[in-house]
Amino acid sequence: MMAAGVACGAALAVLTVPAAEARSLGHGAGHDGGHGTPGLHWAPKDSGAPQARFRGLAAVSRHTAWLAGTGGTVLRTTDGGASWRNVSPPGAAGLEFRDVEAFDARRAVVLAIGEGEASRVYRTDDGGATWTESFRNTDPKAFYDCMAFFDHRHGLAMSDPVDGRFRILSTGDGGRSWHVLPAAGMPAALAGEAGFAASGQCLVTSGPKDAWLATGGGAHARVLHSADRGLTWAAADTPIPAGDPARGVFALAFRDRTHGLAVGGDYSAGQASPRAAAVTRDGGRTWRPAAAPVPAYRSGVAWLPHSRTAALAVGPTGTDLTTDGGRTWRTIDTGSYDTVDCTPDLSCWAAGEQGRVARLER
């Protein structure tokens, strides 16, 4: 579903100490006039592409990140955002890139969304100097939204329902080739149900085999879980409101195979988004509403590096922080971002409209 989709980096050692999280986060000023964290702030980086909206973000490290966005744009930095190289695939200017998954500074896979042949996948092994188109959708009923990898070889991509069920693509060679998985293991979709290509986070993984996909548009906002790399799925309702094409779960984040976060709401401008955050502690079998949810529509979410309790949610009207595993959220910045991603070496990145990209710095 074509819908709405903050780059942070630098050492966040303070966030790896659980006892310090509740005490030290959430006081001070963010760079956009919001309330930020002491010694922590979003540091904007000049992407050099103000015309692009970046809903695809792959944070590799505090030095390396990839962006994917409108106009077939793909950018890469290897110096912490000081400079960005345009590594867009040739001939892709008419495509909408909404997801990018990167394994390192040289290897990455990007997903273009849209109906029919507009949905495509490209892979590079040389930092974007050359690209190979590894998948082009030929089914006019399919519309691919998101992509996720379990490791450097195994990954999935999801399409909105085709013939009443979400369609899943699978790769076992790092995105060099793809095949459609059998539909028999996928529950029936609800009327009007689809995914949101808002941040590259409507399909996520944890560990070698677990995957989750987020939905909206139907009578209920659901999360579907697979424990076998996409062959079979089980659906669970979430408390996030749906019942409208603009409402549902937009992004998921799992810090392990049991603890997960869901954010979303109504992406229509000016519409309220009550109960727009939920949490699971059983791998997505059940979801509970946040006691103090995000205050508005949010399209991206990520756990802070090596933290069991802290995470960030982002959207067009701000960034929110939780320090209690998703039970309560509070706004720490009012800048507009669509997607957020964090890395094992203690960095977080985010990106969004008007070429915005930022890194969380101390």
Side-chain angles (χ1 to χ4, degrees):
M1 177 185 295
M2 188 142 276
V6 43
C8 26
L12 307 182
V14 65
L15 299 182
T16 68
V17 183
E21 287 171 346
R23 294 195 305 269
S24 64
L25 296 175
H27 307 284
H31 77 272
D32 286 293
H35 298 290
T37 61
L40 295 173
H41 63 281
W42 289 120
K45 309 294 180 180
D46 184 4
S47 70
Q51 77 288 351
R53 185 166 194 167
F54 295 114
R55 298 185 187 274
L57 165 66
V60 176
S61 70
R62 70 187 62 176
H63 303 295
T64 300
W66 297 70
L67 301 172
T70 55
T73 306
V74 180
L75 304 184
R76 183 191 64 147
T77 183
T78 56
D79 56 13
S83 63
W84 294 85
R85 183 171 181 176
N86 188 330
V87 295
S88 305
L95 299 178
E96 287 271 343
F97 288 130
R98 294 290 182 94
D99 201 354
V100 55
E101 302 292 329
F103 308 119
D104 51 38
R106 297 184 61 80
R107 297 176 297 166
V109 183
V110 295
L111 171 71
I113 69 156
E115 297 177 349
E117 294 193 3
S119 285
R120 305 179 194 181
V121 178
Y122 295 80
R123 178 182 164 111
T124 182
D125 289 292
D126 54 15
T130 61
W131 293 86
T132 300
E133 181 183 307
S134 59
F135 172 77
R136 182 180 296 207
N137 173 49
T138 57
D139 190 332
K141 295 179 290 185
F143 185 117
Y144 285 85
D145 298 299
C146 291
M147 172 177 62
F149 279 79
F150 302 95
D151 52 42
H152 286 190
R153 295 184 57 81
H154 301 91
L156 304 174
M158 64 165 281
S159 164
D160 288 343
V162 176
D163 298 328
R165 299 175 191 272
F166 285 93
R167 175 169 288 181
I168 303 296
L169 277 182
S170 176
T171 180
D173 56 12
R176 294 179 178 88
S177 65
W178 299 82
H179 65 278
V180 176
L181 292 181
M186 177 65 70
L190 304 176
E193 191 175 28
F196 293 106
S199 61
Q201 296 176 327
C202 63
L203 176 68
V204 299
T205 63
S206 181
K209 293 185 178 181
D210 286 277
W212 297 263
L213 67 86
T215 82
H220 304 281
R222 303 197 297 174
V223 172
L224 280 63
H225 171 236
S226 171
D228 55 13
R229 289 186 182 160
L231 291 175
T232 61
W233 298 80
D237 291 347
T238 76
I240 294 177
D244 182 273
R247 293 201 297 261
V249 179
F250 281 72
L252 299 168
F254 277 78
R255 66 173 173 82
D256 54 41
R257 67 187 309 266
T258 58
H259 297 85
L261 304 170
V263 299
D266 189 328
Y267 76 80
S268 302
Q271 293 300 305
S273 291
R275 307 190 307 282
V279 61
T280 181
R281 296 177 182 172
D282 57 13
R285 288 190 293 274
T286 61
W287 292 84
R288 294 192 299 178
V294 295
Y297 158 68
R298 296 293 182 252
S299 54
V301 63
W303 291 93
L304 288 171
H306 309 296
S307 174
R308 298 177 62 83
T309 57
L312 294 170
V314 301
T317 61
T319 298
D320 307 306
L321 171 74
T322 180
T323 57
D324 55 16
R327 289 188 296 275
T328 62
W329 296 83
R330 51 201 164 82
T331 303
I332 61 170
D333 188 273
T334 55
S336 174
Y337 296 99
D338 293 316
T339 185
V340 58
D341 194 19
C342 298
T343 69
D345 73 341
L346 307 178
S347 70
C348 291
W349 294 80
E353 62 184 342
Q354 298 178 341
R356 289 177 61 116
V357 57
R359 196 177 68 174
L360 197 62
E361 297 186 351
R362 295 182 63 189

